[in-house]
Amino acid sequence: MNDVNLTLVITSAALIGCGVYLLLERSLSRVLVGFLLMGNGVSLAFLVAGGEGAAPPIVEDGVTEAISDPLPQAMVLTAIVITLATTAFVLAMAYRSWQLNGHDDVQDDVEDAMIRRLAASDVTSQAYSAASDDPDQVDESSDFVEGELAAEDDVAQVARREENDDEGTSR
């Protein structure tokens, strides 16, 4: 049985844990740092999981020494390339968000806000009412459409107010 270096395992777990924590933040710069930490933690975990050197994949006559397995190294190289590409993408998104809004925080989605408002007002969705066999609930589904339209109007008014506020502050 191979011995595993416990320090590397703990370091990998700490990097992945801190990376996941930072990925859950709203700021894209923190998301970027979290993604880098998590990528390095996963690469370290691949190397630890690869274990010690083993027999060479192509055995030549006379070679008796242990040679490292190339698969974990190839996986780490692939992870580095994917991390680099994703880092460039998130960095570009953060820079564009900073250009447009003056900060790199992820904005609330308008549809998510509408769904949150419908859930808070405890309105039954049209799809849920149509799926049930109770004829009384089908009649209630028409009320949902009116409620949904009213909520969309509220969301549109909030969006217009925010645009007007942004235009007022930029002048």
Side-chain angles (χ1 to χ4, degrees):
M1 183 172 166
N2 294 335
D3 292 331
V4 176
N5 189 343
L6 190 60
T7 304
L8 291 178
V9 172
I10 291 172
T11 303
S12 173
L15 286 174
I16 292 172
C18 291
V20 168
Y21 176 76
L22 289 174
L23 278 175
L24 298 176
E25 295 286 327
R26 295 186 70 93
S27 171
L28 285 176
S29 58
R30 289 183 182 184
V31 169
L32 179 67
V33 171
F35 191 76
L36 290 173
L37 284 177
M38 202 170 86
N40 287 328
V42 168
S43 296
L44 193 58
F46 273 134
L47 289 179
V48 170
E52 296 179 12
I58 300 172
V59 179
E60 294 181 15
D61 293 336
V63 175
T64 57
E65 62 191 49
I67 298 176
S68 64
D69 187 14
L71 183 62
Q73 295 170 2
M75 299 276 286
V76 167
L77 185 61
T78 304
I80 289 171
V81 170
I82 291 171
T83 302
L84 178 67
T86 307
T87 299
F89 178 70
V90 173
L91 196 59
M93 278 190 350
Y95 180 68
R96 185 66 179 157
S97 176
W98 184 78
Q99 277 184 330
L100 293 176
N101 302 322
H103 55 81
D104 64 345
D105 289 343
V106 176
Q107 302 291 321
D108 283 335
D109 189 19
V110 176
E111 292 185 18
D112 284 346
M114 183 181 73
I115 290 171
R116 198 175 322 126
R117 183 174 298 136
L118 288 175
S121 63
D122 198 26
V123 176
T124 307
S125 72
Q126 189 174 7
Y128 179 76
S129 296
S132 66
D133 295 332
D134 191 10
D136 293 335
Q137 289 186 351
V138 173
D139 292 336
E140 293 176 0
S141 67
S142 61
D143 293 338
F144 172 71
V145 173
E146 292 174 10
E148 183 180 6
L149 291 176
E152 287 179 354
D153 289 341
D154 292 342
V155 170
Q157 288 176 355
V158 169
R160 272 187 247 128
R161 259 187 263 138
E162 289 177 356
E163 288 177 5
N164 290 337
D165 290 343
D166 290 341
E167 289 176 4
T169 57
S170 64
R171 291 182 187 165

